[in-house]
Amino acid sequence: MFPYPEQYRLAAPPLMTSLMVFWALLSQPVFNDASPFALYPLFLLFPIVILTHGYLIWHAQGLTRLDQVFYGLVHIPLAFVVWTFTIMHVNGNAFS
């Protein structure tokens, strides 16, 4: 169906991380500080990134499974940092 399905699967976690950034940048001016409508999608996106990496590891074959593990070990901490800062951005001055 797709010409390159493996590349689409590999791009899913970074695309979700970039979706976090775009959601934070677009929702913060629209909603109030610490709005649940702005925060709850962010709370869901990071676990989805982790599950997507688990899916990539599970469906890899042979030595590419080790590559997927290293890909997850590099991307998950970076996504956690991005996730933390997007939550801080959406919260604004709500905690101060």
Side-chain angles (χ1 to χ4, degrees):
M1 184 169 159
F2 294 113
Y4 306 107
E6 185 65 27
Q7 283 82 0
Y8 292 129
R9 277 182 271 173
L10 291 176
L15 287 175
M16 282 185 262
T17 304
S18 62
L19 179 66
M20 284 187 229
V21 173
F22 288 124
W23 178 255
L25 292 175
L26 295 175
S27 67
Q28 203 272 337
V30 174
F31 299 112
N32 293 333
D33 288 343
S35 170
F37 294 112
L39 284 173
Y40 288 159
L42 292 176
F43 290 148
L44 290 175
L45 279 173
F46 184 66
I48 291 173
V49 168
I50 294 173
L51 291 174
T52 306
H53 277 292
Y55 172 79
L56 290 173
I57 292 168
W58 183 262
H59 286 284
Q61 299 171 356
L63 288 176
T64 59
R65 183 168 289 175
L66 185 62
D67 294 337
Q68 294 299 329
V69 169
F70 285 126
Y71 177 39
L73 286 175
V74 169
H75 182 253
I76 289 174
L78 294 173
F80 178 77
V81 171
V82 170
W83 181 62
T84 304
F85 282 110
T86 56
I87 290 173
M88 289 170 46
H89 180 72
V90 169
N91 272 331
N93 294 323
F95 291 134
S96 57

